[in-house]
Amino acid sequence: MQLDLHSFTLKEAKEIIKKEIINCYNNNINTLEIIHGYNNGTSIKNYLKNSKELRSLKEVKEIIPSLLNSGKSIIYLNIKIKS
């Protein structure tokens, strides 16, 4: 799933990212691509890179910058195990 955050402030983006992580997790989607841009998206990119808050979520497995596109980061999620 892709999430384009070009037009959002860092504060807005943080809330959107958290909600989308939960949404993806609940729907067994294991990858969330965050499109933040590489000029004005630096604050969102840095948040994703350094956020201990996001990394501490049970849903989040790993957060990495895209190797092919510096304006995108990828959040890998743990798959929800159905009981």
Side-chain angles (χ1 to χ4, degrees):
M1 173 170 250
Q2 284 191 338
L3 183 60
D4 189 340
L5 298 174
H6 273 106
S7 61
F8 294 95
T9 66
L10 177 58
K11 182 178 179 180
E12 293 168 330
K14 286 179 179 182
E15 292 303 313
I16 293 168
I17 291 167
K18 287 181 219 171
K19 287 179 184 177
E20 203 55 43
I21 285 172
I22 302 301
N23 180 48
C24 287
Y25 178 78
N26 287 335
N27 289 292
N28 287 321
I29 298 169
N30 66 348
T31 305
L32 176 59
E33 295 181 359
I34 306 293
I35 301 168
H36 44 68
Y38 59 91
N39 285 329
N40 295 331
T42 304
S43 60
I44 297 171
K45 180 179 183 177
N46 289 338
Y47 168 70
L48 291 168
K49 180 179 177 184
N50 301 312
S51 178
K52 292 179 183 177
E53 175 188 11
L54 287 181
R55 283 179 170 68
S56 70
L57 295 174
K58 69 176 181 177
E59 297 86 359
V60 175
K61 184 175 184 178
E62 185 177 20
I63 303 171
I64 62 168
S66 172
L67 299 175
L68 302 175
N69 182 343
S70 62
K72 183 167 46 172
S73 296
I74 303 168
I75 301 175
Y76 291 98
L77 303 172
N78 292 308
I79 297 295
K80 183 178 177 181
I81 299 172
K82 295 183 182 185
S83 45

